[in-house]
């Protein structure tokens, strides 16, 4: 037996006996191998048997610059040799200071205060805590409730999970943090019937106005004096990439201003180039009070998140003995912040944002060809971030029931796509979708490869229905 096979067998045994994987149905691997990825290069990753896969999900909406970047690795090693760790609890270190200044320079408006975390869920948790703390300090102590959208995912900690709009992820952990409320999302493909014309079409601006106005309805129902913040992604991930309709965020901003409610742009996925801009709020022309971010901040080469807040929200904490009594041991880790600086150097030197904007139309056009397949109902998204919704009947938009979705996604698609050399995500937290979020370095050759694999596998899936 070869060394590779020996290693593969040993890893399989150890994984089954000791590794508790995240969001994983472990019974799947009782009679089949755990996929074990051992290296990456550019847009591709390789497993223990040497098989190559196009990383069409960017790890998990994380890898912006591709795998195997020597510059990011060298930045980490250089920093670790100088100062491997020191906390930001009443002390600072240079790379955290420099990165905070740089992010503040990228962020829109007066978002000049950067609070580092270890990841995205912690950034969301920090934003809710800040909102509640801030309003107490300015004499509005009843403001503590938050609003988010149906099917939206915002994290797994108890606070972030409470903001999340996915009942299936929450029920086993209830009771959660109270005072989180839901409004409709912006899935225009499944807009309410009363907004559809005789031909089934939907006016985007009308739909956007209606969806935004539901935020005001909830604020009024709960009492404006009790609502602290609205959490919205620029393009909602869960459910399969819902872009905002025209005017949506501008109307939400008006509502938040009217009721003195903070607008939190949750950009854990959408920030740092995923939509062709440093921040999704820039792309869609709205001004948040807080941006939560992570993932692409280091292209995944080290764990890091950031809550970016306005000067207004920092102001009460600059007075007297007031303290934001919140933090994380590894938030703003020296090695992670050094990697983030190198990541942004590459963004600027290599024109990454320009590359995304120049190629996103070609990417979408390539994916749009899949609409010819009987199983594909919708293709939507922006930048390098797309969802493909799967349907049982294109004309009626009939979706799959729970049992059919189980057979389709877990019984066939997930493994078939991976076997076809494509790492992406088949997800049914809303209606069944395939999610794509490849490294921002990808070009037409990668788009064609994604399309080819999807076309083959989805054609076979349609024949199995």
């Amino acid at each position: 037996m070869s060394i590779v096979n020996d290693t593969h067998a040993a890893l399989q045994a150890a994984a089954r006996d000791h590794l508790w994987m995240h969001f994983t149905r472990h019974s799947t691997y009782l009679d089949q191998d755990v996929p074990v990825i051992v290296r990456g290069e550019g847009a591709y990753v390789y497993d223990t048997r040497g098989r190559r896969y196009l990383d069409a999900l960017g790890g998990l909406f994380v890898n912006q610059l591709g795998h195997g970047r020597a510059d990011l690795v060298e930045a980490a090693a250089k920093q670790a040799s100088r100062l491997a760790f020191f906390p930001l609890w009443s002390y600072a270190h240079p790379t955290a200071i420099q990165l905070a200044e740089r992010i503040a320079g990228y962020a829109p408006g007066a978002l000049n205060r950067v609070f580092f975390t270890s990841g995205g869920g912690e950034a969301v948790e920090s934003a809710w805590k800040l909102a509640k703390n801030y309003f107490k300090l300015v004499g509005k102590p009843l403001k503590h409730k938050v609003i988010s959208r149906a099917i939206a995912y915002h994290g797994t900690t108890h606070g972030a999970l409470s903001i999340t709009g996915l009942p299936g992820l929450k029920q086993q952990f209830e009771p959660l943090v109270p005072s989180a409320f839901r409004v409709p999302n912006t899935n225009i493909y499944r807009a309410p019937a009363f907004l559809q014309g005789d031909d089934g079409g939907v006016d985007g601006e009308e739909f956007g106005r209606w969806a935004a106005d539901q935020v005001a309805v909830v604020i009024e129902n709960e009492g404006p004096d009790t609502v602290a913040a609205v959490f919205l992604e620029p393009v909602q991930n869960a459910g399969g990439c819902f872009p905002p309709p025209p005017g949506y965020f501008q109307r939400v901003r008006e509502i938040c201003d009217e009721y003195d409610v903070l607008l939190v742009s949750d950009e854990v996925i959408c920030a740092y180039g995923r939509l062709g801009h440093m921040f999704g709020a820039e792309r869609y022309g709205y001004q948040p009070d807080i941006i939560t971010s992570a993932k692409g901040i280091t292209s995944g080469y080290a764990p890091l998140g950031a809550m970016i807040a306005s000067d207004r929200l920092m102001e009460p904490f600059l007075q007297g003995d007031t303290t934001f009594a919140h933090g994380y041991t590894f938030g703003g880790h020296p090695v992670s912040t050094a990697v983030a600086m190198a990541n942004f150097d590459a963004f600027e030197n290599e024109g990454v944002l320009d590359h995304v904007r120049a190629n996103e139309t070609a990417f979408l056009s390539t994916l749009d060809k899949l609409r010819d397949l009987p199983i594909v109902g919708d293709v939507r998204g922006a930048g390098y971030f797309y969802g493909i919704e799967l349907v049982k009947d294109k004309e009626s938009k009939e979706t799959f029931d729970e049992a059919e979705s189980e057979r389709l996604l877990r019984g066939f698609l997930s493994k078939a796509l991976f076997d076809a050399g494509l790492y992406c995500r088949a997800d049914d937290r809303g209606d069944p979708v395939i999610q794509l979020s490849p490294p921002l370095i990808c070009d037409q050759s990668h788009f064609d490869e994604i399309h080819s694999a999807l076309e083959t596998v989805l054609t076979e899936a349609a024949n199995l229905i």
Side-chain angles (χ1 to χ4, degrees):
M1 187 176 288
S2 70
I3 293 175
V4 170
N5 286 336
D6 281 341
T7 303
H8 176 82
L11 287 171
Q12 290 299 319
R16 290 192 182 94
D17 290 345
H18 303 293
L19 181 63
W20 198 329
M21 292 177 283
H22 300 197
F23 284 100
T24 298
R25 186 181 293 183
H26 281 261
S27 62
T28 301
Y29 300 116
L30 294 177
D31 58 359
Q32 60 180 288
D33 284 353
V34 176
V36 179
I37 303 301
V38 296
R39 72 180 183 91
E41 182 179 351
Y44 297 92
V45 293
Y46 298 79
D47 68 12
T48 50
R49 298 188 185 279
R51 294 170 180 159
R52 189 182 83 163
Y53 306 89
L54 175 56
D55 183 3
L57 198 62
L60 194 62
F61 318 102
V62 168
N63 194 306
Q64 315 297 62
L65 297 182
H67 300 275
R69 293 280 309 215
D71 50 346
L72 303 192
V73 174
E74 289 166 4
K78 182 178 179 180
Q79 179 59 45
S81 67
R82 181 186 297 119
L83 178 67
F85 174 73
F86 208 79
L88 294 180
W89 297 45
S90 300
Y91 297 85
H93 54 78
T95 54
I97 296 170
Q98 294 160 2
L99 182 60
E101 180 183 39
R102 193 166 191 174
I103 291 173
Y106 291 143
L111 297 182
N112 293 315
R113 303 292 181 161
V114 182
F115 184 96
F116 289 116
T117 67
S118 306
E122 290 179 356
V124 171
E125 195 85 10
S126 301
W128 192 1
K129 291 180 74 173
L130 174 59
K132 291 194 286 187
N133 198 167
Y134 168 79
F135 281 119
K136 284 180 172 61
L137 291 173
V138 298
K140 296 184 177 183
L142 296 181
K143 279 185 168 287
H144 67 284
K145 298 175 182 175
V146 293
I147 297 169
S148 60
R149 295 186 291 203
I151 314 179
Y153 176 85
H154 293 283
T156 58
T157 58
H158 265 67
L161 187 58
S162 300
I163 299 171
T164 290
L166 293 159
L169 289 186
K170 300 163 67 156
Q171 293 165 349
Q172 59 268 51
F173 304 111
E174 291 174 335
L176 296 172
V177 181
S179 303
F181 300 87
R182 228 64 61 216
V183 293
N185 58 47
T186 60
N187 183 2
I188 196 169
Y189 180 69
R190 296 196 177 277
F194 66 83
L195 289 172
Q196 299 177 19
D198 294 338
D199 62 352
V202 179
D203 179 88
E205 290 190 12
E206 181 183 359
F207 173 66
R209 176 75 182 211
W210 170 82
D213 282 345
Q214 304 317 299
V215 175
V217 170
V218 172
I219 292 173
E220 286 287 352
N221 286 343
E222 291 304 314
D225 291 341
T226 71
V227 179
V230 178
F231 283 74
L232 305 172
E233 298 166 276
V235 175
Q236 181 174 318
N237 171 41
C241 296
F242 305 147
Y248 173 80
F249 275 110
Q250 288 67 34
R251 177 58 184 149
V252 172
R253 180 72 267 179
E254 290 176 358
I255 292 167
C256 289
D257 290 342
E258 178 181 354
Y259 294 106
D260 193 17
V261 170
L262 303 182
L263 175 54
V264 182
S265 189
D266 184 359
E267 306 207 17
V268 171
I269 289 175
C270 292
Y272 310 123
R274 183 54 54 191
L275 303 181
H277 297 263
M278 273 298 179
F279 297 102
E282 293 178 273
R283 175 169 184 140
Y284 295 113
Y286 64 95
Q287 180 60 55
D289 299 292
I290 300 173
I291 290 176
T292 54
S293 67
K295 294 188 184 288
I297 192 171
T298 64
S299 285
Y301 281 68
L304 185 65
M307 176 188 69
I308 312 160
S310 68
D311 289 327
R312 165 197 171 197
L313 300 181
M314 181 70 171
E315 184 62 30
F317 298 96
L318 300 176
Q319 311 299 321
D321 60 358
T322 305
T323 300
F324 185 39
H326 175 64
Y328 300 100
T329 299
F330 294 111
H333 192 285
V335 174
S336 297
T337 48
V339 171
M341 289 291 287
N343 187 50
F344 291 143
D345 286 345
F347 266 66
E348 295 177 8
N349 295 335
E350 298 169 25
V352 171
L353 301 181
D354 289 340
H355 178 80
V356 173
R357 291 196 291 266
N359 286 278
E360 67 171 324
T361 300
F363 191 9
L364 178 57
S365 297
T366 304
L367 295 177
D368 266 338
K369 297 175 185 177
L370 297 169
R371 290 180 183 271
D372 293 336
L373 300 178
I375 198 173
V376 174
D378 195 25
V379 178
R380 55 184 178 252
Y384 273 33
F385 184 35
Y386 293 99
I388 301 167
E389 183 167 337
L390 308 179
V391 294
K392 188 157 56 173
D393 182 89
K394 288 173 73 97
E395 186 173 343
S396 67
K397 301 182 183 179
E398 181 184 2
T399 191
F400 300 90
D401 63 30
E402 187 174 344
E404 291 167 336
S405 183
E406 174 74 18
R407 290 196 302 272
L408 176 66
L409 269 64
R410 293 170 190 83
F412 175 71
L413 278 178
S414 292
K415 185 176 187 302
L417 289 167
F418 197 64
D419 288 346
L422 191 66
Y423 170 65
C424 57
R425 184 191 233 179
D427 185 32
D428 62 351
R429 290 176 295 177
D431 294 302
V433 296
I434 291 173
Q435 293 174 302
L436 300 166
S437 178
L440 307 185
I441 60 170
C442 286
D443 55 28
Q444 188 62 53
S445 65
H446 301 103
F447 307 155
D448 289 340
E449 189 174 344
I450 291 170
H451 171 267
S452 177
L454 287 173
E455 183 179 47
T456 299
V457 173
L458 291 178
T459 297
E460 188 175 351
N463 293 332
L464 294 175
I465 297 173

